[in-house]
Structure formats: structure tokens, C-alpha cells
């Protein structure tokens, strides 16, 4: 058995640079980028970072019964070692504050620091959901004000603020539709989902007990209106349309689709996760939408990714508002929006709520960030943010359409994201190779292999907050990588070469993760 030589188990002389560097170091470190073992490997369990009193040996037997008999197995490190461990790991992390993050559909835009300042105000940050209502009037005021602006921006009637992510909002909207159908004794069973919709849409419908059916996309990348109309009927509960859709295109026929769906007795769900492309320009309410979630963590900033936090308020039409879950915020006869909860549901005539989505009110920290973002931008600023996002994406689309296959380049301007495919790459070269090459060039890869309507899809969303110089550098990298993929440059197949680790076997890592370290030649 090979004993690890240093704490990370790396052996001197072993090339660690992922390109099999000809200049290995004895430490395994690469300049000031340090090799980092797992925290459980750095320091023995017999070491303790703090001075604790000896465990008394004469514990009364009733306590002794609870005393731990075996080692707990915590990593033993001093405070500076611990601080360094996490600081080193953080230096290997990549985020929007470090560089360009063109992840399509995810809207990784800059998060203004003003939002953070406001969210950290103790009156918001320390608020507890069980506090008496009269002590949280300011927080409730923030929610009401945000609700007002979401209703105004979308041209809808009411909003359920509590859902905690886009997909959670989808479920909320579909449950509203189900409640509305049940209230009229109409048990429809089918939800139609166009091919250009986001993958969460069919998952949501299935989770809510519906069977889903695909509606094809046209060669242009939009919903096939005729196919959709032909499928409508008394069994169709709803149509779920992502707008802008996942091909990065605006669904121009949405009003016509809504009219047809309504005439057939169904409801229109719009996936509004990409509302950042159209805010201040289009009101989904004007297009006949009945329910739409808004990803506050995309459109209205808030750092996200890596699992949270998210917030997915759902705006509802007048037809669906009565079924919105509690707490619910809606326009009432006096023209103002009011927060309706169990106590005042009678007063505001909101007695058909389908239930609740969460125990409390939702993500306070995101409500404060979103409202700060909205108020600091103002109507003209939000409009411009949407316009700039669209301009940046179109710039990328037009700059790269002759280097990469852009399947919908002829469908007119794109919205906030540009879509490319792997058509034209040399035999054996794929989107994955280009994406890995992008890491070497210092960019987080774009969204890959989504949407499914395009082979080897690459979905690039620059967002409105990137400067032209940064986008130009990205375009330069993409051109070079496209050329290498088309020419079949063998080095691209094993990229990344400059990352802390070379290309990982992702399937193996997902199916058979090795969560503790052991010497490579032992396994
Ligand atoms: C991000 C996204 C979702 C899901 O939102 P989550 O907050 O991740 O649950 C749904 N639809 C579209 C189009 C999205 O971009």
C-alpha cells in the first residue's frame, strides 16, 4: 500500500498540471494556485484547533451513558488552517464577480451591491416569520410594494409571492389552474407543452397529475400554431409556453394562442423565467396569459446558482386570482393591492384559495433585493436593461453566425440569448469539447445540450451587464474554438489543460462519486 507522502496524497515528481506539465513542482502547487486536499485529509482527528478541558473520567453514570465512546472523526485543524482551506477553495471557484458567465436561461447578471446593502439592514435581515404582525409592518410593506410592481410590470391581477423558485412557481400556477377547473367541475387531464418550452414545464404538469403532450416547433424555432390549435379540445387543461422561449425567440403568436386556448376552455401558463428580456416592454397580461412565474433571482438580480436562494412569485389573471394560494396579494375594489392571509380572507373575498405553497411568506432577502433593483432602475432603467440584454445577445449572434451554425439566425433578432449548434464540427468533435476549451480561455461555459430541439446546443446569454470589451474577448475565444473544433484539433479533445483538474469523467463522477481520498494506484 502506498502511503500518502504529503497531506493531499500527491507524490513529488508526479505531473499534476492537467496538461501533464513538463514542469512539475515537488509540492504539487502551481505558482500561487495551491493544491487543496479534502478537509478530512488535512490533519488528524487527534489534533484539535481549540483547547478543550480533558473529558472527566468520573462522570455520574447517568451522564456517562451518553458520553461518546468512539472518535467523532472531525477533521483536526487550527483556525488559520481552516481559514486557508476555505479561502483556497474559494479561489478555485468561478462566479459572476470573477468573470463572464454566459449560462443561457439562467441570467447570471451582475448583482448590484446596493441590493446587498438593503437586504442586510437588520430590520429585514433579522425578521422572523413567527414575529407578531404589528412588529413586521415594514417587511409586509416591502412585500406589498414589490407585489404592486410585479402586477404592474406584467399587467396581471394578483400575485402569490411565496413560491421559492421558478419550478415551485410553475407548480403553484398549475395548481391554480387545476383549482379553477375543479371549481367549475371540469376535470381536464392534458397539459400541452411545446418543444421550445423549458424542461421544468412538463415535469411540473406531470407532478400536478396531468399527462403532457408535445407540440412541435416550427423550423423557425417557435410554437407550431396550427399544430397547437389542432390539438386543443375539451380535455386540454392548459398550455405551458416559455416566452421568450428556450431558442431565445419571442413567441409572437402568444396572443393568438391564448385566444384559441381560452375559446377551447383551457388556461395559458407562461414560463416567465426569462422576463428580463421583455420587462418594461411587453405586459404578459396583454397577451392573454393566465399564470406566469417570475424568477426574481434572474430578472431582478440576487446571486444564485449552486442551489439557491430562489424566489418565484406567480402573477395571475383575474380568472385565476380567486384560487391563488395564501398568502396572496391582489388588487381589490379600492384599487390597491392587499396582502390576504387566513385572517382576512373573508374580508377580501378570497375564500377559494387552493391552499399554501410554503409555511410562511417566502424569501424576504430576495424581496428586498428585487424591490431595490426595481426602484433603483425605475421604469426607464428596467426597459433599458431588457433592451441591453437583447442587444448584447444579438451582437454575439451576428458576430458568430458565420463561425458557428446558428440554426435560428434567419428567424429574426433573438431575445436575451443566442443559440448555436455543433453542425460543421470535425468528426468526433462535440459541443462538450468547445465548452471545455472555453474554460481554458477563462470563461464559464455557456449552457450546453439545451434546448433539445437543436443538436449539440450552445445557449449563450450575455445579460445586459457585460461591457462590449468583455463580450468581444468572448467572441474572439469562441471564434478560435469554433475553428479548432471544425479543424479537428486533437488538443481540444482533452481540454481543459490549464484548469486545476483536466477533463473529468463526468458520467463516472455522477454515478460513482469517490467522496474520500485514496492513493490513485490503490484503486
Ligand atoms: C431557470 C428556469 C426555470 C426554473 O427556475 P428555477 O428557479 O431554477 O426553479 C424555468 N424555466 C425557465 C425558462 C428557466 O430559465
Amino acid at each position: 500500500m502506498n502511503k500518502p507522502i504529503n497531506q493531499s496524497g500527491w507524490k513529488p515528481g508526479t505531473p499534476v498540471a492537467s496538461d501533464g506539465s513538463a514542469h512539475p513542482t515537488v509540492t504539487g502547487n502551481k505558482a500561487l494556485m495551491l493544491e487543496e486536499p479534502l478537509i478530512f485529509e488535512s490533519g488528524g482527528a487527534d489534533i484539535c484547533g481549540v483547547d478543550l478541558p480533558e473529558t472527566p473520567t468520573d462522570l455520574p453514570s447517568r451522564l456517562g451513558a451518553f458520553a461518546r465512546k468512539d472518535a467523532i472523526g472531525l477533521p483536526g485543524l487550527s483556525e488559520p488552517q481552516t481559514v486557508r482551506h476555505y479561502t483556497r477553495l474559494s479561489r478555485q471557484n468561478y462566479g459572476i464577480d470573477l468573470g463572464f458567465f454566459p449560462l443561457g436561461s439562467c441570467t447570471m447578471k451582475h448583482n448590484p451591491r446596493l441590493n446587498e446593502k438593503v437586504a442586510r439592514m437588520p430590520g429585514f435581515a433579522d425578521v422572523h416569520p413567527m414575529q407578531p404582525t404589528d412588529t413586521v409592518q415594514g417587511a409586509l410593506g416591502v412585500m406589498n410594494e414589490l407585489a404592486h410592481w410585479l402586477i404592474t410590470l406584467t399587467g396581471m391581477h394578483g400575485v402569490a409571492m411565496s413560491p421559492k423558485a421558478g419550478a415551485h412557481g410553475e407548480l403553484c400556477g398549475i395548481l391554480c389552474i387545476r383549482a379553477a377547473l375543479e371549481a367549475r367541475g371540469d376535470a381536464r387531464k392534458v397539459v400541452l407543452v411545446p418543444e421550445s418550452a423549458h424542461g421544468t414545464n412538463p415535469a411540473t404538469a406531470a407532478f400536478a397529475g396531468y399527462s403532457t403532450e408535445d407540440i412541435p416547433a416550427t423550423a423557425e424555432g417557435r410554437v407550431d400554431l396550427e399544430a397547437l390549435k389542432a390539438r386543443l379540445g375539451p380535455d386540454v387543461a392548459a398550455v405551458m409556453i416559455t416566452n421568450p422561449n428556450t431558442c431565445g425567440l419571442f413567441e409572437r403568436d402568444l396572443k393568438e394562442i391564448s385566444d384559441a386556448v381560452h375559446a377551447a376552455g383551457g388556461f395559458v401558463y407562461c414560463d416567465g423565467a426569462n422576463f428580463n428580456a421583455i420587462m418594461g416592454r411587453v405586459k404578459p397580461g396583454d397577451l392573454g396569459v393566465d399564470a406566469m412565474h417570475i424568477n426574481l433571482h434572474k430578472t431582478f438580480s440576487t446571486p444564485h446558482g449552486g442551489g439557491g436562494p430562489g424566489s418565484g412569485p406567480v402573477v395571475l389573471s383575474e380568472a385565476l386570482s380567486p384560487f391563488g394560494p395564501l398568502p396572496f396579494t391582489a388588487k381589490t375594489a379600492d384599487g390597491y393591492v392587499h396582502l390576504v392571509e387566513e385572517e382576512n380572507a373573508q374580508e377580501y373575498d378570497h375564500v377559494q384559495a387552493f391552499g399554501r405553497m410554503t409555511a410562511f411568506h417566502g424569501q424576504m432577502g430576495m424581496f428586498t433585493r428585487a424591490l431595490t433593483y426595481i426602484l433603483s432602475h425605475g421604469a426607464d432603467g428596467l426597459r433599458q436593461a431588457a433592451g441591453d440584454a437583447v442587444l448584447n445577445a444579438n451582437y454575439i449572434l451576428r458576430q458568430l453566425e458565420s463561425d458557428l451554425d446558428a440554426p435560428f439566425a434567419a428567424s429574426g433578432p433573438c431575445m436575451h440569448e443566442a443559440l448555436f449548434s455543433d453542425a460543421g464540427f470535425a468528426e468526433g468533435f462535440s459541443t462538450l469539447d468547445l465548452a471545455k476549451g472555453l474554460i481554458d480561455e477563462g470563461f464559464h461555459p455557456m449552457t450546453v445540450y439545451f434546448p433539445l430541439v437543436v443538436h449539440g446546443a450552445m445557449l449563450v446569454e450575455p445579460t445586459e451587464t457585460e461591457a462590449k470589451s468583455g463580450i468581444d474577448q468572448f467572441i474572439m475565444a469562441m471564434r478560435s474554438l469554433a475553428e479548432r473544433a471544425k479543424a479537428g484539433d486533437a488538443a481540444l479533445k482533452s481540454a481543459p489543460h490549464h484548469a486545476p483538474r483536466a477533463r473529468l469523467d463526468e458520467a463516472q463522477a455522477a454515478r460513482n462519486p469517490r467522496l474520500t481520498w485514496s492513493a490513485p494506484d490503490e484503486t
Side-chain angles (χ1 to χ4, degrees):
M1 176 172 155
N2 284 303
K3 272 261 175 259
I5 291 172
N6 64 3
Q7 286 180 345
S8 74
W10 176 84
K11 295 185 216 54
T14 312
V16 289
S18 39
D19 55 353
S21 165
H23 306 289
T25 54
V26 294
T27 52
N29 299 330
K30 281 181 269 178
L32 301 183
M33 194 51 84
L34 309 181
E35 270 294 294
E36 193 57 30
L38 297 179
I39 194 166
F40 287 93
E41 298 157 12
S42 5
D46 49 331
I47 305 168
C48 186
V50 290
D51 293 327
L52 294 173
E54 285 293 314
T55 315
T57 48
D58 55 347
L59 285 174
S61 57
R62 72 194 151 79
L63 289 180
F66 296 106
R68 192 182 302 282
K69 302 204 172 44
D70 305 317
I72 191 169
L74 289 177
L77 292 98
S78 67
E79 182 169 319
Q81 284 177 307
T82 311
V83 169
R84 282 180 182 165
H85 173 75
Y86 288 108
T87 306
R88 286 172 188 161
L89 287 184
S90 76
R91 293 201 329 163
Q92 293 183 2
N93 208 356
Y94 190 90
I96 189 68
D97 288 345
L98 208 61
F100 190 45
F101 207 129
L103 209 53
S105 214
C106 293
T107 310
M108 305 300 269
K109 64 164 102 178
H110 170 69
N111 298 287
R113 291 306 184 266
L114 177 65
N115 301 358
E116 298 306 312
K117 196 171 165 184
V118 174
R120 280 166 176 69
M121 287 176 164
F124 297 132
D126 300 342
V127 77
H128 191 281
M130 302 288 263
Q131 257 172 264
T133 314
D134 58 356
T135 66
V136 289
Q137 289 300 305
L140 292 173
V142 164
M143 287 182 211
N144 238 21
E145 173 109 13
L146 177 59
H148 164 77
W149 286 116
L150 296 181
I151 289 170
T152 304
L153 282 165
T154 55
M156 301 288 275
H157 188 77
V159 58
M161 298 291 288
S162 63
K164 298 205 172 171
H168 201 209
E170 286 176 36
L171 181 63
C172 176
I174 290 294
L175 291 180
C176 288
I177 290 172
R178 197 172 78 181
L181 288 168
E182 278 169 4
R184 68 178 197 217
D186 189 354
R188 296 171 174 232
K189 283 275 160 272
V190 179
V191 170
L192 304 181
V193 185
E195 277 179 345
S196 51
H198 194 261
T200 46
N201 295 184
T204 296
F207 193 73
Y210 290 100
S211 61
T212 61
E213 285 179 32
D214 271 358
I215 297 295
T218 59
E220 267 210 313
R222 295 188 167 91
V223 178
D224 185 331
L225 182 61
E226 293 317 312
L228 183 118
K229 281 185 176 168
R231 179 56 191 85
L232 288 172
D235 58 336
V236 175
V239 176
M240 295 183 86
I241 299 216
T242 302
N243 200 19
N245 71 24
T246 59
C247 300
L249 301 174
F250 188 73
E251 294 285 2
R252 293 185 195 126
D253 298 327
L254 187 49
K255 182 72 175 77
E256 204 176 334
I257 291 172
S258 300
D259 290 345
V261 174
H262 290 152
F267 289 97
V268 177
Y269 187 93
C270 178
D271 181 332
N274 299 327
F275 189 54
N276 58 315
I278 57 174
M279 65 182 168
R281 290 166 187 266
V282 181
K283 289 185 173 179
D286 295 344
L287 302 178
V289 169
D290 291 297
M292 181 180 99
H293 71 269
I294 301 164
N295 290 43
L296 293 188
H297 49 293
K298 293 178 182 172
T299 300
F300 298 111
S301 75
T302 281
H304 70 284
S311 181
V314 178
V315 287
L316 298 175
S317 62
E318 203 163 352
L320 284 187
S321 277
F323 306 96
L326 296 171
F328 191 70
T329 319
K331 279 191 217 161
T332 45
D334 58 12
Y336 292 101
V337 295
H338 287 285
L339 185 64
V340 187
E341 304 193 63
E342 278 83 353
E343 306 83 73
N344 58 9
Q346 291 281 353
E347 183 190 338
Y348 289 120
D349 198 20
H350 193 78
V351 291
Q352 288 174 284
F354 74 73
R356 300 182 72 90
M357 290 302 288
T358 60
F360 302 111
H361 287 83
Q363 306 278 37
M364 191 65 215
M366 303 202 42
F367 296 157
T368 42
R369 286 179 177 92
L371 183 60
T372 307
Y373 186 86
I374 289 174
L375 296 183
S376 59
H377 277 71
D380 56 340
L382 292 178
R383 226 181 114 76
Q384 189 184 337
D388 289 351
V390 170
L391 179 66
N392 284 353
N394 277 283
Y395 180 59
I396 290 178
L397 179 65
R398 298 308 163 199
Q399 285 291 315
L400 289 176
E401 68 182 328
S402 47
D403 304 279
L404 282 166
D405 174 57
F408 303 122
S411 308
C414 62
M415 296 305 288
H416 58 303
E417 48 198 7
L419 182 59
F420 302 97
S421 89
D422 62 0
F425 285 8
E427 179 75 26
F429 281 75
S430 67
T431 288
L432 188 72
D433 300 321
L434 187 144
K436 297 294 184 189
L438 214 44
I439 296 175
D440 273 343
E441 298 289 351
F443 295 100
H444 191 286
M446 70 298 272
T447 292
V448 293
Y449 299 105
F450 176 82
L452 305 177
V453 275
V454 166
H455 193 268
M458 289 172 257
L459 189 61
V460 180
E461 178 176 358
T463 81
E464 76 279 10
T465 52
E466 286 306 320
K468 181 169 178 292
S469 55
I471 296 179
D472 281 336
Q473 202 190 33
F474 173 76
I475 288 168
M476 182 177 77
M478 286 290 281
R479 280 202 180 123
S480 151
L481 290 164
E483 210 165 285
R484 290 171 63 192
K486 287 192 279 192
D489 174 359
L492 191 59
K493 283 299 305 173
S494 50
H497 300 279
H498 304 299
R501 290 291 178 274
R503 191 174 306 197
L504 303 173
D505 183 339
E506 285 163 8
Q508 177 78 355
R511 289 195 196 123
N512 186 19
R514 197 203 291 164
L515 300 175
T516 54
W517 183 88
S518 56
D521 43 9
E522 282 182 281
T523 54

